[in-house]
Amino acid sequence: MKVETYTGTGTGVEQILPVRFRDLFALYRLEKRCFPLDSWPLIDIFFAVLLPRLVRLKAVVDQRVVGFVMGDKEKGAGWVATFGVDPDFRQRGIGTRLLQAVERELDMPKYRLCVRKSNVSAIRLYEKNGYLPVDTWARYYKGGEDAVVMEKWRPER
């Protein structure tokens, strides 16, 4: 993967980089901060960091991990398995850059993800990036909330 560097909006230099094993605990803390109800357990993040078939990227601002995305190729689609940006760093374009980077790395004809039905800001981000709702998974999340399954088809090349 090519390292991507951006001039940050008020916070310094932002980079999109591959996740390394040494990022494990930073990702775990960020996962818990982004998803207090649904964060992945440390063991799941451990295996996700190690599995070679997964695409794992992080957003770094001034050497601090502030965002992450993990994607997988499954049944003809690139699945965004988990994706989050530190609440203190949202609304700066980091999420869009991470999403676009994982799509490039997965390089599939379509991309899918699921999101809590109540997560309106994430749904807006996905819609701005070409994702459309295609299904609902009832009671998918803890607490019984539905998941909205969203999909994006890559334009023909």
Side-chain angles (χ1 to χ4, degrees), residues 55-154:
V55 173
R56 299 164 301 269
L57 303 172
K58 63 185 175 184
V60 177
V61 173
D62 296 331
Q63 302 182 349
R64 176 180 167 195
V65 177
V66 299
F68 63 91
V69 63
M70 293 186 195
D72 193 7
K73 294 180 181 185
E74 187 177 299
K75 298 178 184 170
W79 272 91
V80 177
T82 186
F83 169 58
V85 175
D86 185 309
D88 293 339
F89 287 82
R90 292 180 183 162
Q91 303 300 315
R92 300 177 190 194
I94 294 170
T96 293
R97 287 190 287 278
L98 277 169
L99 196 56
Q100 291 169 349
V102 77
E103 290 171 1
R104 278 192 303 276
E105 292 296 312
L106 288 169
D107 193 29
M108 297 293 287
K110 70 179 174 181
Y111 306 98
R112 296 188 105 189
L113 54 82
C114 62
V115 58
R116 272 185 177 271
K117 186 177 179 179
S118 64
N119 194 343
V120 177
S121 61
I123 291 170
R124 237 183 267 127
L125 170 71
Y126 301 139
E127 288 174 340
K128 285 180 185 176
N129 282 277
Y131 286 80
L132 298 172
V134 294
D135 198 1
T136 300
W137 292 344
R139 302 181 53 80
Y140 179 78
Y141 289 105
K142 288 180 183 169
E145 188 171 349
D146 294 349
V148 177
V149 180
M150 301 185 79
E151 185 174 272
K152 174 183 179 177
W153 283 87
R154 185 177 68 193

